[in-house]
Amino acid sequence: MSLWKKTILLISLTFIIVIIVLYFISQNIMLRSFIILEEQIAVRNVERIKNAIHDHIESLSYYAADWASWDDSYEFVIDLNDNYRETNLVDSTFTNLKINFLMFINTDGRVVYKRGLDLKEEVEMTVPASLLSHIKLHSVILRHDTEGFLDGLLYLPEGPVIITSHPLLTSEDEGPARGTLIMAKFLDSALLDHFSERTRLPIKMHYIKSNNMPDDFFEAKGHLSSGSSPYINARSEDIIGGYSILKDIFNKPAFILGTNMTRDIYTQGKNSVTYFILSIVLVIIVSGIIMLLYLHWLYRVHQH
């Protein structure tokens, strides 16, 4: 083999090795950095959804606190007077507060007043027995010794609910407490749609013990633990999913929250890496041609 051919072969092999090395670097470093950024944003989006739900719970708790620390409510739990009932416990109260259930429980743990309203149809509805079963004298829902109030999520066979429980006090927030006021509302598809509009993300939620969850939720359940960070799963080249645990009012894992996001960052990363590789290959080819032409010129000069 002539020296000229050996030179061409050596240069070609060198360029091929350089291209291969750059390709692996771009895939394992550059593209990986885009994937990490994508996952970080997905985690933040899941947290945004959780914060939206938490803010909604706090808002309901605020209204319940206002009702519970009120002289009129303080008296009503004892005498159940008609004036309070006819003035305050009307349909407009439920629709304005956007609640489904309102209950007064005395210090013996007995529900002295309860009412439910279907907000969509605006007709009276029965307070589910499953909800009433959680209201017992020694239930944490009626204990306000340490926190003063309790709010959060609760699983019912009829659907998940947001519930808040406050001690009945005077308008000056003084006691002794005469019982407990409870407000609750279904966390239904309409409310999830509201959170979706607020966060601009699709939202789904499933009971953690359900056997009818989609496959991606079952997979997420296997990766999530109590109080763990969100689980992020690239479901395809186009979609990435984010999942997290939601605890109930008893501080136990109760629901899996999930959302899907388009992989815009990953797609942009792939495009950037492709353009980078093509640019490097083009530079190498042009440089190679120039180098070969120069070597060819030198070779002819030395021959003469």
Side-chain angles (χ1 to χ4, degrees):
M1 183 181 293
S2 66
L3 179 61
W4 170 246
K5 291 182 178 179
K6 289 181 180 179
T7 303
I8 293 176
L9 181 60
L10 179 62
I11 292 174
S12 299
L13 287 174
T14 301
F15 284 167
I16 291 173
I17 291 172
V18 169
I19 291 172
I20 292 173
V21 170
L22 286 173
Y23 175 79
F24 279 104
I25 289 175
S26 64
Q27 290 293 315
N28 293 289
I29 297 179
M30 292 181 60
L31 188 57
R32 180 59 189 163
S33 66
F34 280 98
I35 292 174
I36 291 173
L37 177 60
E38 175 187 60
E39 291 176 348
Q40 290 173 343
I41 292 177
V43 168
R44 286 202 292 269
N45 282 337
V46 173
E47 293 298 335
R48 281 174 55 212
I49 297 172
K50 292 179 70 174
N51 288 338
I53 295 173
H54 178 71
D55 289 347
H56 196 85
I57 293 172
E58 281 194 340
S59 177
L60 180 60
S61 185
Y62 171 81
Y63 290 121
D66 189 49
W67 273 66
S69 295
W70 184 23
D71 288 340
D72 289 3
S73 298
Y74 197 66
E75 293 299 325
F76 177 74
V77 74
I78 298 298
D79 59 25
L80 301 177
N81 66 85
D82 290 335
N83 182 58
Y84 182 93
R85 190 194 309 261
E86 294 169 0
T87 304
N88 301 294
L89 305 179
V90 293
D91 289 0
S92 60
T93 295
F94 288 77
T95 55
N96 290 337
L97 295 176
K98 294 181 172 60
I99 58 174
N100 293 109
F101 308 109
L102 178 62
M103 289 174 280
F104 286 80
I105 297 92
N106 65 17
T107 53
D108 294 327
R110 184 169 63 90
V111 179
V112 295
Y113 176 86
K114 64 180 185 295
R115 187 173 184 232
L117 187 76
D118 184 323
L119 296 178
K120 186 177 180 180
E121 302 295 334
E122 294 193 12
V123 294
E124 194 153 340
M125 64 187 299
T126 303
V127 178
S130 56
L131 177 56
L132 293 173
S133 68
H134 287 288
I135 301 170
K136 303 172 184 176
L137 182 58
H138 300 293
S139 169
V140 295
I141 295 178
L142 301 185
R143 289 207 308 265
H144 306 289
D145 301 333
T146 55
E147 297 297 328
F149 67 93
L150 198 65
D151 55 37
L153 300 173
L154 184 65
Y155 168 76
L156 300 180
E158 295 81 3
V161 297
I162 294 173
I163 184 170
T164 181
S165 167
H166 288 257
L168 286 160
L169 305 171
T170 68
S171 297
E172 287 75 34
D173 284 329
E174 295 177 351
R178 285 186 173 176
T180 302
L181 179 140
I182 290 177
M183 289 184 180
K185 64 188 299 182
F186 282 115
L187 205 175
D188 54 15
S189 58
L191 190 51
L192 285 178
D193 288 342
H194 167 74
F195 296 140
S196 291
E197 291 177 6
R198 178 175 170 181
T199 59
R200 297 185 179 181
L201 293 164
I203 303 173
K204 291 193 178 298
M205 193 174 79
H206 293 277
Y207 181 47
I208 199 168
K209 295 181 180 179
S210 171
N211 294 320
N212 298 318
M213 288 189 292
D215 291 341
D216 57 316
F217 275 78
F218 271 114
E219 181 181 347
K221 180 181 176 180
H223 289 84
L224 290 167
S225 60
S226 177
S228 67
S229 300
Y231 169 63
I232 307 301
N233 178 30
R235 299 177 56 193
S236 68
E237 287 287 306
D238 303 315
I239 298 295
I240 186 170
Y243 310 85
S244 186
I245 292 288
L246 289 177
K247 293 185 177 182
D248 62 14
I249 200 168
F250 307 112
N251 201 34
K252 294 181 180 179
F255 305 97
I256 297 179
L257 182 74
T259 184
N260 289 326
M261 296 149 278
T262 55
R263 302 190 68 185
D264 298 331
I265 294 175
Y266 175 72
T267 301
Q268 182 61 46
K270 282 204 309 181
N271 292 337
S272 298
V273 168
T274 300
Y275 295 144
F276 171 75
I277 292 295
L278 290 176
S279 299
I280 293 297
V281 170
L282 181 62
V283 169
I284 287 175
I285 291 174
V286 172
S287 300
I289 292 173
I290 294 173
M291 186 178 295
L292 288 174
L293 290 173
Y294 177 70
L295 290 174
H296 183 65
W297 178 79
L298 285 178
Y299 178 74
R300 292 184 62 184
V301 168
H302 283 295
Q303 276 190 329
H304 292 289

mmCIF file of all heavy atoms in Angstrom, residues 180-203:
data_model
loop_
_atom_site.group_PDB
_atom_site.id
_atom_site.type_symbol
_atom_site.label_atom_id
_atom_site.label_comp_id
_atom_site.label_asym_id
_atom_site.label_seq_id
_atom_site.Cartn_x
_atom_site.Cartn_y
_atom_site.Cartn_z
ATOM 1 N N THR A 180 -68.153 20.498 67.070
ATOM 2 C CA THR A 180 -67.359 20.607 65.845
ATOM 3 C C THR A 180 -68.251 20.954 64.665
ATOM 4 O O THR A 180 -69.380 20.459 64.552
ATOM 5 C CB THR A 180 -66.646 19.271 65.554
ATOM 6 O OG1 THR A 180 -65.828 18.930 66.661
ATOM 7 C CG2 THR A 180 -65.785 19.364 64.308
ATOM 8 N N LEU A 181 -67.729 21.816 63.798
ATOM 9 C CA LEU A 181 -68.383 22.109 62.529
ATOM 10 C C LEU A 181 -67.573 21.452 61.414
ATOM 11 O O LEU A 181 -66.344 21.585 61.369
ATOM 12 C CB LEU A 181 -68.493 23.615 62.293
ATOM 13 C CG LEU A 181 -69.145 24.030 60.962
ATOM 14 C CD1 LEU A 181 -70.070 25.220 61.163
ATOM 15 C CD2 LEU A 181 -68.091 24.384 59.907
ATOM 16 N N ILE A 182 -68.260 20.766 60.524
ATOM 17 C CA ILE A 182 -67.587 20.084 59.410
ATOM 18 C C ILE A 182 -68.196 20.545 58.094
ATOM 19 O O ILE A 182 -69.420 20.581 57.936
ATOM 20 C CB ILE A 182 -67.719 18.550 59.526
ATOM 21 C CG1 ILE A 182 -66.871 18.040 60.696
ATOM 22 C CG2 ILE A 182 -67.301 17.859 58.231
ATOM 23 C CD1 ILE A 182 -66.990 16.549 60.938
ATOM 24 N N MET A 183 -67.323 20.926 57.175
ATOM 25 C CA MET A 183 -67.718 21.204 55.797
ATOM 26 C C MET A 183 -66.971 20.221 54.902
ATOM 27 O O MET A 183 -65.810 19.894 55.163
ATOM 28 C CB MET A 183 -67.371 22.638 55.391
ATOM 29 C CG MET A 183 -68.216 23.705 56.044
ATOM 30 S SD MET A 183 -67.794 25.354 55.418
ATOM 31 C CE MET A 183 -68.928 26.368 56.371
ATOM 32 N N ALA A 184 -67.640 19.779 53.842
ATOM 33 C CA ALA A 184 -67.005 18.824 52.931
ATOM 34 C C ALA A 184 -67.553 19.015 51.520
ATOM 35 O O ALA A 184 -68.685 19.490 51.333
ATOM 36 C CB ALA A 184 -67.229 17.388 53.399
ATOM 37 N N LYS A 185 -66.745 18.641 50.550
ATOM 38 C CA LYS A 185 -67.161 18.716 49.149
ATOM 39 C C LYS A 185 -66.476 17.607 48.371
ATOM 40 O O LYS A 185 -65.357 17.185 48.705
ATOM 41 C CB LYS A 185 -66.803 20.074 48.553
ATOM 42 C CG LYS A 185 -65.320 20.349 48.479
ATOM 43 C CD LYS A 185 -65.015 21.769 48.066
ATOM 44 C CE LYS A 185 -65.550 22.101 46.710
ATOM 45 N NZ LYS A 185 -65.207 23.474 46.289
ATOM 46 N N PHE A 186 -67.144 17.119 47.337
ATOM 47 C CA PHE A 186 -66.557 16.093 46.494
ATOM 48 C C PHE A 186 -65.434 16.687 45.646
ATOM 49 O O PHE A 186 -65.576 17.767 45.072
ATOM 50 C CB PHE A 186 -67.604 15.466 45.575
ATOM 51 C CG PHE A 186 -68.495 14.472 46.255
ATOM 52 C CD1 PHE A 186 -69.855 14.716 46.398
ATOM 53 C CD2 PHE A 186 -67.976 13.281 46.753
ATOM 54 C CE1 PHE A 186 -70.687 13.802 47.026
ATOM 55 C CE2 PHE A 186 -68.801 12.359 47.398
ATOM 56 C CZ PHE A 186 -70.151 12.616 47.527
ATOM 57 N N LEU A 187 -64.331 15.946 45.592
ATOM 58 C CA LEU A 187 -63.268 16.310 44.657
ATOM 59 C C LEU A 187 -63.561 15.526 43.373
ATOM 60 O O LEU A 187 -62.978 14.485 43.101
ATOM 61 C CB LEU A 187 -61.883 15.931 45.227
ATOM 62 C CG LEU A 187 -60.675 16.725 44.722
ATOM 63 C CD1 LEU A 187 -59.418 16.313 45.480
ATOM 64 C CD2 LEU A 187 -60.461 16.570 43.239
ATOM 65 N N ASP A 188 -64.493 16.054 42.597
ATOM 66 C CA ASP A 188 -64.991 15.346 41.425
ATOM 67 C C ASP A 188 -64.284 15.810 40.155
ATOM 68 O O ASP A 188 -63.350 16.619 40.190
ATOM 69 C CB ASP A 188 -66.504 15.529 41.300
ATOM 70 C CG ASP A 188 -66.907 17.007 41.318
ATOM 71 O OD1 ASP A 188 -66.033 17.882 41.135
ATOM 72 O OD2 ASP A 188 -68.105 17.288 41.512
ATOM 73 N N SER A 189 -64.759 15.317 39.021
ATOM 74 C CA SER A 189 -64.123 15.651 37.741
ATOM 75 C C SER A 189 -64.218 17.143 37.444
ATOM 76 O O SER A 189 -63.301 17.726 36.849
ATOM 77 C CB SER A 189 -64.771 14.852 36.607
ATOM 78 O OG SER A 189 -66.168 15.097 36.537
ATOM 79 N N ALA A 190 -65.306 17.789 37.862
ATOM 80 C CA ALA A 190 -65.453 19.227 37.625
ATOM 81 C C ALA A 190 -64.382 20.013 38.377
ATOM 82 O O ALA A 190 -63.803 20.966 37.841
ATOM 83 C CB ALA A 190 -66.845 19.690 38.042
ATOM 84 N N LEU A 191 -64.102 19.607 39.615
ATOM 85 C CA LEU A 191 -63.081 20.288 40.396
ATOM 86 C C LEU A 191 -61.690 19.993 39.840
ATOM 87 O O LEU A 191 -60.823 20.878 39.803
ATOM 88 C CB LEU A 191 -63.176 19.865 41.867
ATOM 89 C CG LEU A 191 -62.321 20.656 42.867
ATOM 90 C CD1 LEU A 191 -62.537 22.156 42.722
ATOM 91 C CD2 LEU A 191 -62.630 20.215 44.299
ATOM 92 N N LEU A 192 -61.461 18.755 39.382
ATOM 93 C CA LEU A 192 -60.175 18.433 38.747
ATOM 94 C C LEU A 192 -59.989 19.259 37.474
ATOM 95 O O LEU A 192 -58.870 19.701 37.176
ATOM 96 C CB LEU A 192 -60.099 16.942 38.434
ATOM 97 C CG LEU A 192 -59.869 15.999 39.612
ATOM 98 C CD1 LEU A 192 -59.866 14.552 39.144
ATOM 99 C CD2 LEU A 192 -58.555 16.323 40.337
ATOM 100 N N ASP A 193 -61.079 19.472 36.747
ATOM 101 C CA ASP A 193 -61.004 20.322 35.550
ATOM 102 C C ASP A 193 -60.636 21.753 35.927
ATOM 103 O O ASP A 193 -59.896 22.434 35.198
ATOM 104 C CB ASP A 193 -62.342 20.309 34.799
ATOM 105 C CG ASP A 193 -62.599 18.988 34.091
ATOM 106 O OD1 ASP A 193 -61.629 18.228 33.900
ATOM 107 O OD2 ASP A 193 -63.768 18.715 33.748
ATOM 108 N N HIS A 194 -61.159 22.202 37.057
ATOM 109 C CA HIS A 194 -60.811 23.549 37.549
ATOM 110 C C HIS A 194 -59.313 23.645 37.842
ATOM 111 O O HIS A 194 -58.660 24.626 37.463
ATOM 112 C CB HIS A 194 -61.615 23.855 38.813
ATOM 113 C CG HIS A 194 -61.126 25.050 39.575
ATOM 114 N ND1 HIS A 194 -61.322 26.343 39.146
ATOM 115 C CD2 HIS A 194 -60.404 25.137 40.741
ATOM 116 C CE1 HIS A 194 -60.769 27.185 40.010
ATOM 117 N NE2 HIS A 194 -60.207 26.486 40.982
ATOM 118 N N PHE A 195 -58.765 22.605 38.486
ATOM 119 C CA PHE A 195 -57.329 22.597 38.758
ATOM 120 C C PHE A 195 -56.527 22.513 37.460
ATOM 121 O O PHE A 195 -55.438 23.093 37.358
ATOM 122 C CB PHE A 195 -56.966 21.424 39.668
ATOM 123 C CG PHE A 195 -57.571 21.498 41.044
ATOM 124 C CD1 PHE A 195 -58.075 20.361 41.668
ATOM 125 C CD2 PHE A 195 -57.643 22.697 41.725
ATOM 126 C CE1 PHE A 195 -58.629 20.419 42.933
ATOM 127 C CE2 PHE A 195 -58.205 22.779 43.002
ATOM 128 C CZ PHE A 195 -58.700 21.642 43.595
ATOM 129 N N SER A 196 -57.066 21.787 36.484
ATOM 130 C CA SER A 196 -56.391 21.679 35.185
ATOM 131 C C SER A 196 -56.314 23.042 34.499
ATOM 132 O O SER A 196 -55.288 23.409 33.924
ATOM 133 C CB SER A 196 -57.126 20.688 34.280
ATOM 134 O OG SER A 196 -56.999 19.370 34.744
ATOM 135 N N GLU A 197 -57.420 23.786 34.564
ATOM 136 C CA GLU A 197 -57.433 25.123 33.960
ATOM 137 C C GLU A 197 -56.454 26.049 34.674
ATOM 138 O O GLU A 197 -55.777 26.865 34.036
ATOM 139 C CB GLU A 197 -58.844 25.701 34.017
ATOM 140 C CG GLU A 197 -59.832 24.995 33.098
ATOM 141 C CD GLU A 197 -61.230 25.551 33.248
ATOM 142 O OE1 GLU A 197 -61.399 26.562 33.983
ATOM 143 O OE2 GLU A 197 -62.164 24.983 32.641
ATOM 144 N N ARG A 198 -56.382 25.905 35.973
ATOM 145 C CA ARG A 198 -55.497 26.775 36.758
ATOM 146 C C ARG A 198 -54.029 26.475 36.488
ATOM 147 O O ARG A 198 -53.206 27.392 36.388
ATOM 148 C CB ARG A 198 -55.814 26.599 38.244
ATOM 149 C CG ARG A 198 -54.924 27.408 39.162
ATOM 150 C CD ARG A 198 -55.359 27.294 40.603
ATOM 151 N NE ARG A 198 -54.387 27.870 41.504
ATOM 152 C CZ ARG A 198 -54.499 27.889 42.818
ATOM 153 N NH1 ARG A 198 -55.576 27.381 43.387
ATOM 154 N NH2 ARG A 198 -53.556 28.426 43.573
ATOM 155 N N THR A 199 -53.691 25.196 36.370
ATOM 156 C CA THR A 199 -52.289 24.804 36.172
ATOM 157 C C THR A 199 -51.944 24.589 34.708
ATOM 158 O O THR A 199 -50.766 24.437 34.367
ATOM 159 C CB THR A 199 -51.976 23.509 36.928
ATOM 160 O OG1 THR A 199 -52.834 22.457 36.460
ATOM 161 C CG2 THR A 199 -52.199 23.692 38.430
ATOM 162 N N ARG A 200 -52.973 24.533 33.843
ATOM 163 C CA ARG A 200 -52.795 24.257 32.415
ATOM 164 C C ARG A 200 -52.137 22.899 32.196
ATOM 165 O O ARG A 200 -51.280 22.729 31.324
ATOM 166 C CB ARG A 200 -51.982 25.369 31.740
ATOM 167 C CG ARG A 200 -52.666 26.724 31.790
ATOM 168 C CD ARG A 200 -51.934 27.780 31.018
ATOM 169 N NE ARG A 200 -52.644 29.057 31.064
ATOM 170 C CZ ARG A 200 -52.249 30.179 30.457
ATOM 171 N NH1 ARG A 200 -51.124 30.154 29.732
ATOM 172 N NH2 ARG A 200 -52.950 31.273 30.550
ATOM 173 N N LEU A 201 -52.573 21.948 33.002
ATOM 174 C CA LEU A 201 -52.069 20.580 32.909
ATOM 175 C C LEU A 201 -53.232 19.609 33.044
ATOM 176 O O LEU A 201 -54.133 19.835 33.846
ATOM 177 C CB LEU A 201 -51.050 20.294 34.020
ATOM 178 C CG LEU A 201 -49.716 21.042 33.969
ATOM 179 C CD1 LEU A 201 -49.014 20.951 35.321
ATOM 180 C CD2 LEU A 201 -48.824 20.487 32.876
ATOM 181 N N PRO A 202 -53.241 18.520 32.265
ATOM 182 C CA PRO A 202 -54.274 17.503 32.462
ATOM 183 C C PRO A 202 -54.044 16.778 33.782
ATOM 184 O O PRO A 202 -52.901 16.499 34.152
ATOM 185 C CB PRO A 202 -54.075 16.556 31.270
ATOM 186 C CG PRO A 202 -52.633 16.710 30.912
ATOM 187 C CD PRO A 202 -52.281 18.147 31.212
ATOM 188 N N ILE A 203 -55.113 16.499 34.514
ATOM 189 C CA ILE A 203 -54.981 15.906 35.844
ATOM 190 C C ILE A 203 -55.897 14.698 35.970
ATOM 191 O O ILE A 203 -57.065 14.748 35.591
ATOM 192 C CB ILE A 203 -55.328 16.930 36.949
ATOM 193 C CG1 ILE A 203 -54.444 18.169 36.847
ATOM 194 C CG2 ILE A 203 -55.198 16.293 38.331
ATOM 195 C CD1 ILE A 203 -54.854 19.284 37.788
#
